[in-house]
Amino acid sequence: MTDAETTPRTGKRVLLANPRGYCAGVDRAVQTVEEALKLYGAPIYVRKQIVHNKHVVRTLEAQGAIFVEENEEVPEGATVIFSAHGVAPEVYEQAKERSLRAIDATCPLVTKVHHEARRFAAQDYDILLIGHEGHEEVIGTAGEAPAHIQLVDGPDGVDKVTVRDPEKVVWLSQTTLSVDETLETVARLKKRLPLLQSPPSDDICYATSNRQHVVKEIAPECDVVIVVGSRNSSNSVRLVEVALDAGARAGHLVDFAHEIDDAWLAGASTVGVTSGASVPDELVQQVLAHLAERGFGDVEEITTADERLTFSLPQELKRDMKAAAAARG
């Protein structure tokens, strides 16, 4: 039995999900931009949003980061950072052609999926990539082996799949999907393709899984679940869906506390709060303060996992930081 189930429903309270917020890959990506600004000076160009969060992007812009859509927008010879979501090989080639100093802030767990795509393509497998069409991570992974990869956008996409050899098929996935929906997609694929192979290890990242798991724990107790995160953040959007599927009576996604509508809280006694993997905890604290002002001052943190993973900064950045430190002597 969880803490959420044993707590009597008296008065107004908040069930605060833990883990929530920054994952190791996001922390590394944001730090990469901050350290690059310190080392090379502004401006530093970043291709796409470094992570999918409005507040983080605005904060880095204020420090001198310039966010662009493509390498062509970066002046020749300047520094460009590739976002945590990963890029296709052609993006590296474009950077070389423009003599850009490219720093790769791709999350190592996304890089792992890229390696898997290359390896299975080299073995001439058909690769079924489960993910959301148009998402940057999907575009980057598909770019590793476009002739071998076809997108399966959820369970409804299964019927459109065609393969050359049903004995040489493997599925991979975007790292930020709903765990349950992905399992349903795989189950449907296996009905059509019984010899479908799985990736060597789960592609959905630990942080996405952990955040969904704790939301499932608290949701049945909640009149409303508030997820702090941006609308273009896949894992944040999934958290609202998971909360509703797990029994929350309502679920809402907000970037900032002031977006919370008082009507959502009318008649509520228990509010769940969590945040996507690209959300700094200060935004969650602002939501808690906002809720406390409305009578939800009793906060109980529900913990289902202890996250200790960290990733080191990109090699090219670490090398330059070391050289700069040595020069200072």
Side-chain angles (χ1 to χ4, degrees):
M1 190 171 276
T2 66
D3 292 347
E5 288 167 332
T6 56
T7 306
R9 293 189 63 172
T10 56
K12 294 179 174 182
R13 63 174 181 160
V14 173
L15 296 181
L16 179 61
N18 183 30
R20 64 181 179 276
Y22 269 16
C23 62
V26 164
D27 200 27
R28 172 185 187 263
V30 174
Q31 266 192 0
T32 296
V33 180
E34 291 170 342
E35 292 297 336
L37 283 162
K38 282 184 213 163
L39 183 62
Y40 308 120
I44 294 290
Y45 292 84
V46 184
R47 185 184 178 278
K48 308 288 187 186
Q49 291 190 359
I50 185 70
V51 296
H52 286 156
N53 184 264
K54 276 186 192 175
H55 175 78
V56 171
V57 169
R58 285 177 192 167
T59 302
L60 293 171
E61 280 177 335
Q63 293 171 24
I66 296 175
F67 291 88
V68 299
E69 285 300 302
E70 299 298 344
N71 287 337
E72 291 82 57
E73 299 168 61
V74 182
E76 290 206 13
T79 298
V80 64
I81 296 175
F82 298 146
S83 81
H85 308 104
V87 297
E90 66 185 19
V91 176
Y92 293 99
E93 292 306 316
Q94 292 162 358
K96 270 187 199 163
E97 286 164 16
R98 295 183 63 78
S99 304
L100 303 181
R101 177 200 279 129
I103 297 171
D104 184 7
T106 301
C107 172
L109 299 178
V110 175
T111 301
K112 174 182 84 77
V113 182
H114 282 227
H115 288 324
E116 290 168 355
R118 287 199 298 272
R119 184 161 65 82
F120 284 111
Q123 295 167 16
D124 202 30
Y125 273 75
D126 278 340
I127 300 165
L128 306 181
L129 177 60
I130 301 171
H132 296 301
E133 188 164 3
H135 191 279
E136 283 156 47
E137 185 187 323
V138 164
I139 293 167
T141 303
E144 292 287 356
H148 289 265
I149 292 176
Q150 56 188 300
L151 181 65
V152 183
D153 197 339
D156 294 339
V158 170
D159 293 339
K160 298 175 197 151
V161 168
T162 57
V163 299
R164 294 168 300 157
D165 179 353
E167 294 188 9
K168 286 197 81 172
V169 192
V170 64
W171 68 270
L172 303 176
S173 84
Q174 185 180 328
T175 62
T176 54
L177 299 179
S178 156
V179 175
D180 292 340
E181 186 179 287
T182 303
L183 291 174
E184 186 189 337
T185 305
V186 171
R188 282 208 204 177
L189 284 169
K190 283 190 170 169
K191 272 187 186 169
R192 285 198 60 198
L193 300 161
L195 298 176
L196 178 71
Q197 293 191 36
S198 300
S201 60
D202 197 351
D203 284 345
I204 293 179
C205 90
Y206 76 95
T208 298
S209 301
N210 287 347
R211 279 149 193 68
Q212 289 177 17
H213 179 68
V214 67
V215 163
K216 284 182 189 175
E217 289 284 319
I218 66 173
E221 292 280 306
C222 295
D223 298 301
V224 58
V225 171
I226 292 170
V227 178
V228 187
S230 293
R231 298 202 174 279
N232 63 337
S233 164
S234 176
N235 75 87
S236 300
V237 172
R238 298 292 84 73
L239 286 172
V240 177
E241 295 171 356
V242 168
L244 293 170
D245 288 346
R249 285 170 274 298
H252 300 282
L253 183 66
V254 299
D255 265 298
F256 304 103
H258 67 77
E259 295 173 8
I260 296 170
D261 187 335
D262 283 346
W264 301 345
L265 308 176
S269 60
T270 301
V271 176
V273 174
T274 189
S275 59
S278 47
V279 177
D281 208 50
E282 66 190 275
L283 299 183
V284 176
Q285 297 309 317
Q286 289 165 14
V287 165
L288 295 178
H290 182 95
L291 291 172
E293 287 168 7
R294 285 150 182 79
F296 293 87
D298 177 14
V299 178
E300 182 184 350
E301 190 163 52
I302 308 296
T303 302
T304 57
D306 179 20
E307 292 181 353
R308 298 188 179 183
L309 184 65
T310 57
F311 294 130
S312 64
L313 291 170
Q315 289 297 331
E316 53 272 27
L317 181 59
K318 282 202 302 187
R319 186 187 60 234
D320 288 356
M321 287 169 72
K322 201 171 176 182
R328 287 196 301 270

